[in-house]
Amino acid sequence: MKITNHHSAPKKIETRGLLQRLWMLSYGVAVVFLGSCSLLPAKTVDNQQRDTQAQNTTVPNPVIVPPPIFSSSGDPNFVVKVVQQVGPAVVRIDSSRTITSRVPDEFNNDPFFRRFFGEGAPQPRQRIERGSGSGFIINSSGQIVTNAHVVDGADRVTVILKDGRTFDGKVLGEDPVTDVATIKINANNLPTLAVGNSDTLQPGEAVIAIGNPLGLNNTVTSGIISATGRSSSDIGASDKRVDYIQTDAAINPGNSGGPLLNARGQVIAMNTAIIRGAQGLGFAIPINTVQRIAQELIAKGKVDHPYLGVQMVTLTPENKERIKKVAGDRLNLTADEGVLLVEIVPRSPASEAGLRVGDVIKSINSQPVTKIEEVQKLVEKSKIGTKLPIEVERNGQIVQVGVQPAPLPVRREG
């Protein structure tokens, strides 16, 4: 559906179309919510001889530093101990949902079709879609967290423990914006996972993933934290509001919702996504985020996220040059940095407050912003129904706008 802006003249509509195309081109990564590698040249005999000579000239008895993956525990088999400790708290989640195919309206509404086909007119057809994922127990009385996409639209959820026991699961709530869901099973005295602090994680730390990839139950992989604070736009998932942890621990479909653990066996994130066609690029939701969302889902069954109703792109010299080449004098873009608004949703808080396509956000609540990730974080921290002061540059002038965030309307897949 094409969105129009009643504030824009025809020339502005052309500019808005340009800005929308620029915004869409900014996200080209295929993310799978749940490759290639370079080979080093083989050593020649000459290379080996040079290496041997170099070794002979080194200082005798060098200090051997243990690899970082061992240094925190001092035990090269720490993965075994962690798996034995936490494995029983990791579960498999099977889900199924009924999909009903829609009969075209002409068969239902047109008398000609009804007379022609009679009783043989097409009828709605149903099929069952099945999926499988992972989860982990956060409360001994049967509360479990997983990814929202694992249970989205499910008619039935089955939870299978490592010891083989099977339970019907009740979905307490889903939050598609962060991809977190909570489930309850009727059981007590269950094993649970100890929780770490995802705010203190550092690249290079050893991690362990446990889950059920491709239906292979209780699969264990290990690696390191490759990076922290990967924004949703960094990985091509701009509809999410999460700063992801990146890991090279192998993650595949079916790992979704399973725990990412540190060397002490504490859960520090929930595995959720991979980039299609890549290797060693897995992403997980920090456990601090998972806990916050899970608590709201258990208490209220939903999470309300503040919403402005804008689409935006970070203004870089490259983006500005591209806009100038195509838009010419149709857009008076004087700012060199900030966040450029490329679409305003009609009847949204942003539209009602007077924000316009082509505005460049300079600050929110008196805090300067230069990237869309910074805008998203500040909006997420704002309060629904309370005016949020936003400073924008418009046609070379600074304009103050007060926007009152509303609850984010969540679109669900059919």
Side-chain angles (χ1 to χ4, degrees):
M1 179 178 68
K2 185 177 180 180
I3 300 176
T4 58
N5 185 338
H6 62 274
H7 293 298
S8 303
K11 191 174 288 188
K12 292 291 186 182
I13 293 176
E14 295 176 12
T15 303
R16 184 188 61 208
L18 160 70
L19 296 178
Q20 283 181 294
R21 291 194 296 274
L22 174 63
W23 176 77
M24 289 186 289
L25 287 172
S26 299
Y27 304 102
V29 182
V31 178
V32 180
F33 282 90
L34 4 175
S36 62
C37 61
S38 299
L39 298 177
L40 294 175
K43 283 190 176 182
T44 64
V45 174
D46 291 340
N47 288 338
Q48 291 175 347
Q49 291 175 345
R50 284 195 294 269
D51 291 345
T52 302
Q53 293 171 356
Q55 291 172 2
N56 291 335
T57 60
T58 57
V59 177
N61 301 322
V63 177
I64 299 176
V65 179
I69 198 167
F70 300 148
S71 60
S72 63
S73 65
D75 181 4
N77 291 318
F78 73 94
V79 174
V80 176
K81 294 182 179 179
V82 168
V83 173
Q84 291 173 344
Q85 173 187 340
V86 307
V90 182
V91 303
R92 171 172 172 156
I93 300 173
D94 292 338
S95 62
S96 61
R97 63 175 180 171
T98 303
I99 304 297
T100 303
S101 61
R102 181 173 172 271
V103 177
D105 290 338
E106 56 264 26
F107 287 102
N108 295 321
N109 302 328
D110 194 316
F112 169 78
F113 282 104
R114 290 203 299 270
R115 287 197 304 270
F116 184 81
F117 286 98
E119 296 299 323
Q123 300 297 316
R125 294 185 178 182
Q126 293 185 336
R127 72 180 191 276
I128 303 296
E129 280 189 354
R130 292 182 171 84
S132 181
S134 307
F136 52 94
I137 304 169
I138 59 171
N139 185 290
S140 61
S141 61
Q143 292 173 349
I144 296 167
V145 293
T146 185
N147 280 142
H149 72 260
V150 171
V151 296
D152 183 34
D155 302 317
R156 183 176 183 183
V157 174
T158 303
V159 176
I160 305 167
L161 305 188
K162 186 178 180 181
D163 61 16
R165 286 183 291 168
T166 300
F167 298 89
D168 288 333
K170 177 185 177 182
V171 178
L172 299 178
E174 308 170 42
D175 182 40
V177 176
T178 56
D179 201 14
V180 175
T182 54
I183 300 172
K184 178 73 169 65
I185 60 175
N186 188 19
N188 291 296
N189 300 318
L190 296 174
T192 62
L193 293 185
V195 176
N197 182 3
S198 54
D199 287 343
T200 62
L201 299 176
Q202 298 291 327
E205 288 187 42
V207 290
I208 304 156
I210 306 178
N212 308 290
L214 304 174
L216 301 171
N217 292 353
N218 308 118
T219 294
V220 179
T221 59
S222 67
I224 62 169
I225 293 176
S226 304
T228 59
R230 293 294 193 207
S231 70
S232 54
S233 58
D234 283 341
I235 74 167
S238 58
D239 60 325
K240 307 300 180 188
R241 293 189 184 181
V242 175
D243 281 341
Y244 294 92
I245 294 168
Q246 180 182 331
T247 178
D248 68 348
I251 297 175
N252 291 286
N255 274 117
S256 293
L260 189 68
L261 306 139
N262 62 21
R264 295 178 294 281
Q266 298 170 325
V267 57
I268 46 93
M270 181 166 66
N271 301 316
T272 189
I274 56 176
I275 293 181
R276 189 186 302 276
Q279 292 182 351
L281 288 176
F283 300 93
I285 305 168
I287 193 61
N288 291 9
T289 300
V290 173
Q291 279 192 302
R292 175 174 58 84
I293 299 299
Q295 288 170 1
E296 288 196 51
L297 291 175
I298 292 169
K300 302 189 300 183
K302 65 174 185 175
V303 177
D304 288 326
H305 295 274
Y307 160 77
L308 300 186
V310 299
Q311 290 177 351
M312 51 195 173
V313 65
T314 297
L315 187 59
T316 63
E318 294 79 12
N319 284 343
K320 184 175 180 179
E321 190 63 29
R322 290 166 65 186
I323 294 169
K324 280 187 173 181
K325 285 183 179 179
V326 179
D329 60 356
R330 289 176 291 173
L331 181 65
N332 182 19
L333 187 58
T334 58
D336 293 318
E337 63 177 9
V339 177
L340 177 65
L341 300 185
V342 299
E343 178 65 17
I344 307 294
V345 178
R347 297 178 298 279
S348 67
S351 175
E352 293 175 357
L355 287 175
R356 302 177 188 175
V357 170
D359 284 350
V360 177
I361 298 178
K362 306 296 289 184
S363 70
I364 294 180
N365 205 16
S366 299
Q367 298 187 48
V369 295
T370 58
K371 300 178 181 179
I372 61 174
E373 294 86 4
E374 296 168 347
V375 172
Q376 290 171 333
K377 287 179 182 178
L378 290 171
V379 172
E380 183 69 12
K381 291 178 181 178
S382 68
K383 293 183 179 180
I384 293 172
T386 301
K387 278 198 175 181
L388 186 64
I390 298 179
E391 181 181 274
V392 302
E393 184 171 325
R394 178 184 299 163
N395 297 323
Q397 302 294 319
I398 297 298
V399 178
Q400 305 291 337
V401 180
V403 184
Q404 188 170 298
L408 174 68
V410 177
R411 260 187 279 174
R412 297 185 180 277
E413 295 181 0

